[in-house]
Each structure stands twice: as structure tokens, then as C-alpha cells.
Amino acid sequence: ALRQQLHQFLESKTISSRLLVRLKRFISVHGSKVNRKAQHSAFLDMLPETLLMDVHVEVRMPILASHSFFADIIDHHKRTAASVCHIAAREVTPVAGDIIFQEGDDASCMYFVVDGVMQYTLRSTCKIHGGTTVEEVPHEDGALSSRASIESAQSFAKRLSYKPAQQVAKGDCVSEAALWLPWEHLGEFVGMAPATMISVEHAPLASILTFNREQHVR
């Protein structure tokens, strides 16, 4: 079915031979997985909103619970957590070679790796308000997040130049800073093998938390 759709698409578009080769290679390697994904998507589209929300909660909530901030919301504000799972979170399924973001891209999401293998390569540093230098670095548990340092940009950049590409696998998270402040990605995040991730987008998360702000004021 995918091969037929590809031919129909190519008949109506002007596609370069180089892109055509890439499309055919993708269908050959990943066609069966894409077919399964399309079937799953069609099934979920059939569900009523309330039932779909329950599915999203049961699938996504255990992943978000690995982070202390979301775990606290889940423990104390179940309805808010359910809205986050249903509205702000979504599945991302990259294949090998897919670039999720690159250095200089505006950041809008935090990513939780559910399975598969990704790779993060730090390319540069940046500054936020007050001249503080920031990088996306591993937590002690291996997850990638943000850290601020009051070191000089020069010495900080020198230290970063020795950082190799980092493998990001099940249980790791990337780009938490995107949820809390205006952020520009400092490196490249790319798929090394078929993977599944849960992304949490800043804008809907902020809207949900703002709407429920009275629940979060203690």
C-alpha cells in the first residue's frame, strides 16, 4: 500500500532523483512499521474523546512520572496530570537518521525516550538573561537537561569542546529547559535506530498549569 501511495504521490509532484532514492529506501526499510503506525493511528482516531484521554493517561503517565516535577503533579493533581498527558504530550517515533532538532533551532518540547537509541551532540553554548552561560548536560541519572553556570563564557566553551556525542536511551530525557525559559538548542538530537519518545510541548503545558494554578499554590 505504501509503495502504491508513493507512486501516486510522485506522479503528481516533481521529485528529484536523489530524494526519490531516499523515499524508496525508507519504504523498503521501514514500510512495515509505518503501516502498523498508520493502523494504530486510524484506530485511535475512532475513539471518543474521553476514552482516548484514558488511553493517553495510561500510556504516557508512567513515562512522565520518571521526572520529579511531573511525578509531583501526578501524585497531588490527578486531573491536571491527565490533561498534561492528553493535551501537552504526544508520541514521536523517529527512525535512524531522523533529526529531531539541530543547533540554533527554537526549542518547544522536552523529550522522554521510551525505547530505541538516540544521539545528542553538543555544538555550542548560549547565554540567558544576566549573562549566565547554559548547556544541555547529563544529570547524574543520565538524563539530559539544563544547567546554568556563572563561569566565564570563554573557559566554559573550552571545557565543552571536549564533550563527545552522547547516546540517549530508554529512561533518558532531553531539553527540559524548553519547558521553563525561551530556549535555543545547543546541539543536534538524531535517531540512531527506530525509537519511541514522548514529547511534552511548552505552550499547552503552560496553559494547563496556568488554568489550574490555584491547585499548585500551596
Side-chain angles (χ1 to χ4, degrees):
L2 281 176
R3 293 183 184 276
Q4 183 179 0
Q5 293 174 16
L6 174 60
H7 287 302
Q8 292 174 349
F9 175 79
L10 296 178
E11 288 177 357
S12 61
K13 306 290 183 181
T14 302
I15 302 295
S16 68
S17 58
R18 182 179 180 182
L19 180 56
L20 176 60
V21 170
R22 290 174 59 198
L23 288 169
K24 289 183 175 180
R25 184 183 299 121
F26 175 86
I27 294 299
S28 175
V29 175
H30 304 291
S32 60
K33 181 178 179 180
V34 174
N35 270 325
R36 290 195 300 272
K37 180 181 177 181
Q39 292 170 0
H40 293 165
S41 178
F43 170 73
L44 292 177
D45 288 343
M46 296 170 56
L47 298 179
E49 189 73 13
T50 53
L51 190 55
L52 181 60
M53 186 173 188
D54 290 341
V55 171
H56 288 161
V57 167
E58 294 202 4
V59 171
R60 298 167 178 173
M61 189 174 287
I63 307 303
L64 301 188
S66 65
H67 189 283
S68 58
F69 174 77
F70 293 104
D72 184 69
I73 295 178
I74 291 167
D75 287 342
H76 298 96
H77 311 290
K78 293 291 187 183
R79 292 179 64 85
T80 300
S83 295
V84 171
C85 292
H86 182 51
I87 299 171
R90 68 182 181 90
E91 282 72 25
V92 182
T93 54
V95 297
D98 276 359
I99 297 174
I100 304 302
F101 58 73
Q102 294 177 299
E103 177 190 3
D105 289 349
D106 289 335
S108 61
C109 296
M110 178 180 182
Y111 298 91
F112 294 77
V113 180
V114 180
D115 60 50
V117 180
M118 306 292 292
Q119 179 176 282
Y120 178 83
T121 305
L122 183 66
R123 302 294 187 189
S124 66
T125 63
C126 73
K127 290 184 178 180
I128 57 175
H129 299 297
T132 304
T133 308
V134 179
E135 63 167 322
E136 292 166 318
V137 297
H139 281 311
E140 292 179 358
D141 62 2
L144 291 172
S145 186
S146 65
R147 182 176 65 195
S149 172
I150 310 181
E151 301 169 352
S152 69
Q154 183 177 5
S155 62
F156 195 74
K158 181 179 180 181
R159 181 159 58 85
L160 290 181
S161 65
Y162 298 102
K163 285 189 175 294
Q166 301 179 66
Q167 188 175 95
V168 186
K170 181 178 180 180
D172 292 339
C173 56
V174 170
S175 192
E176 179 186 343
L179 300 184
W180 315 124
L181 71 162
W183 186 256
E184 185 178 283
H185 286 300
L186 310 181
E188 181 179 80
F189 190 41
V190 60
M192 301 302 292
T196 302
M197 299 189 293
I198 300 294
S199 70
V200 179
E201 188 174 354
H202 163 264
L205 175 65
S207 295
I208 292 167
L209 297 183
T210 300
F211 181 77
N212 295 281
R213 61 186 179 276
E214 292 182 359
Q215 297 183 28
H216 299 279
V217 176
R218 297 181 179 180

